[in-house]
Amino acid sequence: MIYQGNAVSVQLLDDGIAELKFDLQGESVNKFNQETVEDLGKAVDAIAGNNDIKGLIVTSGKGVFIVGADITEFTDMFKLPEDEIAGWCLKSNKVFNAFEDLDIPKVVAVNGIALGGGLEMCLAADFRVLSEKAQVGLPEVKLGLFPGFGGTVRLPRLVGVDNAVEWIAAGGQHRADKALKVGVADAVVAHDKLNDAAIALVKQCLEGKIDFRAKRQEKLEPLKLPPMENMMAFQTCMAMVMGQAGKNYPAPVAAVKAMQTAAGMNRDQALEVEAKGFAKIAKTPQATALVGLFLADQAVKKVNGKTAKGAGEINQAAVLGAGIMGGGIAFQSALKGTPIIMKDIADKALDLGMNEASKLLAKRVSKGKMDAAKMGKVLSAIRPTLNYGDFDDVNVIVEAVVENQKIKQSVLAETEGKVKEGTVLASNTSTISITKLAEALERPQDFAGMHFFNPVHMMPLVEVIRGEKTSDETVASLVAYAQKMGKNPIVVNDCPGFLVNRVLFPYFGGFGMLMRDGADFEAVDKVMQKFGWPMGPAYLMDVVGIDTGVHAAQVMAEGFPERMQYDFKDVSTVMFENERYGQKNGVGFYRYETDKKGKPKKVVDEKTWELIKPHVAETREFDAEEIIARMMIPMCTETVRCLEDNIVGSAAEADMAMIYGIGFPPFRGGPLRYIDSIGAKAFVELCDKYAHLGGIYEAPQMLKDMAAKGESFFA
């Protein structure tokens, strides 16, 4: 053994070829934490000092190559001044440079995932051989960053400006064949031939058949393009990236600027530009939020993994009710490998549910995501039925009938009598108390809520709702089933609206008050969309369904009368009374026409103003700052109350539920991280400023206490 560290080892193979292996001890994957970087530096020194080594292959002792940097180290590091962050980048790059500068042929054998710093390590080698199973990419922009280990320098010199900009600014993960096509990979081979192929390539270099020094030299020099072509290439790319990224995501544009600035420089000068740019972008609020979001997502997955360990067997599912939701649940379950029975009381309903599943599958076939044979297999995993005859082997049943307490209780009680003890029953209710629904059951411990969001195949969140008598095993089984379906479950305790709707409806309440006071709903929509929401509140109500919203608002008002029972007629009620339900019947706040692609397109409808005029103050202009405050305070304070009332287990779970469930702007990190970005003290002052408007604007005690102690939700 030439070198043995905790993360990296070097041993001599045959014919003067050595193997540098990444195998971080005590971890399931390799990642570039500070220890690994230091270990790599020592390994490179050992190779440089050993005259027996004529060539090198780089491998992984894990099922992946290197997943990237250790994101957990970013939180504290990004609190440092810019020059210290840039210094960290340059210190790491010194190790990568030393590896690159070894005057021997170096071939990386990429066996699996190589992302971020993992791919940047590969780029520092002379050649890259990928297993057909490998996936590579530079996803740093998804964290509000861009590559800081030489990616913006080496990639454009290897694959050209256009390809480098696409890979870095989009942050995608690419298959081996795509990497070969653009020049990131030099060869793609069968998985079991990977190391042999890498060794063979090193031997070709040693025999003089391939000039590895010339290959390396390209990465050390300025880009080959003439200055005018260079400028034109970057200008074209910049316009495209600015259009796609938008103002709320500065990292992709910053990455292109760094590449352009460094295009005429040698490697070492270019790396300094990259390090300074990386440090600057690391200090942005977007990077703070998106790195925090990544860590919150990991925390939620860890919680769910622990919870799911107590799950029972889930080999067969069933759904009661074959409407749009039932069909969507059946589709998702079958698609992800859990066969499902779809029961209804009418053939017509079963046809609707099967048509919904068929339509979704056909769309996947038309987009090349699935072949016709796979479509047939998935469809055959959905069994429509009018009776309970096949329910003997069902492990979990999701009720998705009409949103009516008595009907749901009747269906659930009937089903419970037809299945064996221990079968998990769940209701897909969005508003009805799980504890109340359980009153109709003999085995309430086997029952919980499982709230899917519409459309089921697109929305990643599932709320798993624990009733007063729900057992831990039932919760575990539903978490495990949601995960099998490819969803992100969040476990919450029972209350009106559960978590997401309880937090969403005060936001709608804030909108109602703005309208009452003379705001223009189109202006509010534009401000909130600019703030980062996929759509503004009026448009969102139209999409959700105003009839659905009014019903849910009544449930919330009954549950929290001190905050959510309003003393004015809300404009959504006016829309409802005039049978304007939104997209579902073509008219709500907006009127809907069909565009060229057959999708609903919103247009302004003057009739809306005629209807709401008697119920609102004279229209006046509100500045954006006031609109944002009056919309966001109610949502954020209610999220704090859910944490305070133990409805949700952690700040990370609360924030991720809002990201997954209602499209909270990711670059703001979630309601609680948004409060952190303002500061608890400043946010309480903002609450106090608007507290005269009603209970939804009052700061919760938990937040007041945090403000007094100078605390935050996240470190």
Side-chain angles (χ1 to χ4, degrees):
M1 190 67 70
I2 292 166
Y3 176 79
Q4 180 66 61
N6 197 48
V8 180
S9 64
V10 181
Q11 64 173 334
L12 196 61
L13 306 176
D14 298 327
D15 303 320
I17 298 171
E19 177 184 20
L20 185 154
K21 182 186 286 186
F22 286 95
D23 195 358
L24 183 57
Q25 299 305 298
E27 297 281 354
S28 59
V29 296
N30 290 319
K31 54 189 173 184
F32 267 121
N33 54 15
Q34 293 189 50
E35 179 187 21
T36 302
V37 174
E38 287 169 13
D39 229 9
L40 177 61
K42 291 172 185 174
V44 170
D45 289 343
I47 293 166
N50 190 309
N51 294 328
D52 293 332
I53 299 175
K54 308 300 180 190
L56 185 70
I57 66 165
V58 183
T59 66
S60 163
K62 312 286 189 191
V64 299
F65 186 71
I66 302 172
V67 296
D70 185 350
I71 311 301
T72 60
E73 294 182 348
F74 285 5
T75 308
D76 289 336
M77 191 182 303
F78 290 177
K79 291 175 184 173
L80 298 172
E82 275 185 37
D83 60 338
E84 290 188 41
I85 298 171
W88 167 76
C89 287
L90 291 170
K91 184 182 174 186
S92 300
N93 270 312
K94 196 174 177 183
V95 173
F96 281 61
N97 291 351
F99 169 80
E100 186 169 45
D101 293 340
L102 289 169
D103 195 26
I104 55 173
K106 301 171 293 297
V107 178
V108 179
V110 184
N111 61 322
I113 288 172
L115 298 175
L119 179 56
E120 288 172 288
M121 167 66 205
C122 299
L123 297 176
D126 303 321
F127 299 96
R128 288 147 297 283
V129 178
L130 272 59
S131 155
E132 58 198 359
K133 295 180 180 179
Q135 292 201 8
V136 297
L138 296 168
E140 287 86 349
V141 291
K142 293 177 180 176
L143 298 176
L145 306 167
F146 62 74
F149 286 174
T152 67
V153 176
R154 293 184 178 95
L155 193 61
R157 285 156 178 78
L158 277 172
V159 303
V161 172
D162 292 353
N163 287 325
V165 168
E166 183 197 334
W167 275 51
I168 290 170
Q173 193 166 315
H174 306 281
R175 294 195 318 249
D177 55 348
K178 173 80 181 286
L180 182 65
K181 188 177 179 182
V182 300
V184 169
D186 297 287
V188 175
V189 299
H191 191 70
D192 59 352
K193 306 288 185 191
L194 182 61
N195 285 10
D196 290 343
I199 290 168
L201 187 48
V202 171
K203 285 181 177 177
Q204 284 184 288
C205 293
L206 293 174
E207 290 164 4
K209 293 177 182 175
I210 298 174
D211 189 347
F212 70 92
R213 291 186 180 93
K215 184 82 171 171
R216 185 197 315 150
Q217 193 61 31
E218 291 174 7
K219 296 182 289 170
L220 307 181
E221 296 174 353
L223 275 170
K224 292 276 191 286
L225 280 175
M228 184 56 73
E229 282 183 46
N230 206 7
M231 186 184 74
M232 291 295 291
F234 277 111
Q235 279 185 347
T236 305
C237 289
M238 183 68 79
M240 180 189 71
V241 170
M242 286 177 81
Q244 289 176 347
K247 292 179 181 177
N248 293 323
Y249 293 90
V253 172
V256 178
K257 284 180 180 174
M259 284 189 272
Q260 184 172 13
T261 302
M265 300 176 179
N266 64 33
R267 179 194 69 186
D268 292 356
Q269 293 169 321
L271 287 171
E272 286 188 22
V273 170
E274 180 186 81
K276 285 177 185 172
F278 179 91
K280 194 176 184 66
I281 209 74
K283 299 294 285 184
T284 60
Q286 288 91 339
T288 301
L290 290 167
V291 167
L293 201 64
F294 175 87
L295 295 173
D297 186 49
Q298 296 298 303
V300 170
K301 284 183 169 68
K302 195 172 180 180
V303 168
N304 286 336
K306 196 174 175 183
T307 302
K309 283 180 181 174
E313 209 173 26
I314 302 167
N315 298 318
Q316 176 69 57
V319 62
L320 308 173
I324 296 296
M325 287 302 286
I329 291 166
F331 160 81
Q332 192 67 27
S333 184
L335 180 71
K336 295 297 182 178
T338 304
I340 189 164
I341 298 166
M342 183 165 59
K343 184 195 175 297
D344 207 287
I345 56 173
D347 280 320
K348 191 176 178 182
L350 290 173
D351 289 342
L352 176 67
M354 291 304 292
N355 286 340
E356 176 69 10
S358 298
K359 188 174 70 181
L360 293 170
L361 287 165
K363 193 175 282 187
R364 292 180 75 86
V365 172
S366 69
K367 289 182 177 179
K369 292 181 178 179
M370 175 185 281
D371 60 26
K374 178 74 189 292
M375 176 178 169
K377 189 178 177 185
V378 173
L379 268 180
S380 68
I382 305 172
R383 275 188 288 158
T385 184
L386 295 170
N387 57 60
Y388 292 99
D390 297 324
F391 274 55
D392 289 348
D393 297 322
V394 170
N395 308 118
V396 59
I397 302 168
V398 182
E399 167 273 305
V401 301
V402 66
E403 190 74 355
N404 176 291
Q405 183 174 325
K406 285 183 180 176
I407 294 173
K408 283 184 181 289
Q409 284 181 319
S410 172
V411 169
L412 288 164
E414 180 186 44
T415 306
E416 184 186 46
K418 304 285 186 182
V419 298
K420 62 180 182 285
E421 195 168 337
T423 303
V424 173
L425 268 176
S427 175
N428 179 46
T429 179
S430 55
T431 55
I432 303 167
S433 165
I434 297 304
T435 301
K436 283 181 182 173
L437 287 175
E439 289 171 2
L441 300 173
E442 296 290 328
R443 303 189 294 271
Q445 71 275 11
D446 296 339
F447 174 68
M450 194 176 191
H451 179 208
F452 290 85
F453 290 75
N454 195 23
V456 175
H457 68 286
M458 288 178 68
M459 300 299 286
L461 179 66
V462 171
E463 284 179 307
V464 174
I465 306 108
R466 184 193 289 272
E468 280 180 15
K469 295 181 178 177
T470 305
S471 72
D472 289 344
E473 187 178 346
T474 295
V475 169
S477 295
L478 291 177
V479 165
Y481 181 45
Q483 289 175 320
K484 280 187 83 171
M485 291 175 80
K487 298 300 179 186
N488 298 316
I490 301 281
V491 179
V492 300
N493 284 317
D494 192 18
C495 73
F498 314 133
L499 173 59
V500 172
N501 280 335
R502 176 172 164 179
V503 169
L504 177 61
F505 276 83
Y507 173 83
F508 286 148
F511 171 68
M513 289 183 189
L514 273 167
M515 292 297 294
R516 174 199 65 186
D517 296 342
D520 176 344
F521 69 87
E522 291 173 65
V524 174
D525 271 4
K526 283 175 185 170
V527 168
M528 296 316 292
Q529 199 165 354
K530 197 173 180 183
F531 178 80
W533 285 96
M535 58 188 77
Y539 188 20
L540 178 58
M541 282 187 183
D542 276 1
V543 171
V544 169
I546 288 171
D547 53 338
T548 304
V550 167
H551 167 72
Q554 288 166 352
V555 172
M556 303 308 294
E558 288 167 15
F560 307 102
E562 72 286 1
R563 292 194 302 282
M564 301 187 207
Q565 184 82 59
Y566 307 119
D567 61 357
F568 61 93
K569 190 165 191 174
D570 190 279
V571 286
S572 62
T573 303
V574 177
M575 296 292 104
F576 174 71
E577 288 174 352
N578 285 275
E579 296 183 357
R580 296 167 72 97
Y581 302 149
Q583 278 188 0
K584 63 173 68 175
N585 72 341
V587 64
F589 285 98
Y590 298 94
R591 189 162 44 81
Y592 293 89
E593 297 173 351
T594 305
D595 66 13
K596 291 176 183 177
K597 293 181 180 178
K599 293 183 178 178
K601 173 189 169 189
K602 69 180 170 75
V603 292
V604 178
D605 186 5
E606 293 303 322
K607 180 79 173 168
T608 304
W609 286 108
E610 290 175 29
L611 294 170
I612 65 175
K613 195 172 182 181
H615 307 282
V616 299
E618 191 174 336
T619 304
R620 67 181 179 90
E621 196 173 324
F622 288 76
D623 65 44
E625 195 176 314
E626 183 176 352
I627 289 172
I628 291 165
R630 288 182 63 167
M631 290 299 302
M632 293 307 298
I633 290 170
M635 173 173 277
C636 293
T637 54
E638 201 60 39
T639 308
V640 176
R641 285 189 181 93
C642 286
L643 201 58
E644 193 173 46
D645 295 347
N646 198 33
I647 299 302
V648 64
S650 67
E653 288 166 284
D655 273 358
M656 291 314 300
M658 297 306 120
I659 300 282
Y660 295 150
I662 54 173
F664 192 99
F667 68 92
R668 297 193 186 275
L672 301 180
R673 198 171 286 278
Y674 178 63
I675 292 174
D676 275 0
S677 72
I678 294 169
K681 186 171 181 289
F683 199 87
V684 168
E685 288 169 1
L686 199 59
C687 291
D688 292 344
K689 180 179 175 181
Y690 292 101
H692 64 280
L693 291 170
I696 58 173
Y697 288 94
E698 291 173 10
Q701 191 58 47
M702 183 184 194
L703 196 57
K704 290 177 182 176
D705 293 344
M706 288 173 65
K709 295 174 188 172
E711 293 175 347
S712 59
F713 291 102
F714 299 94

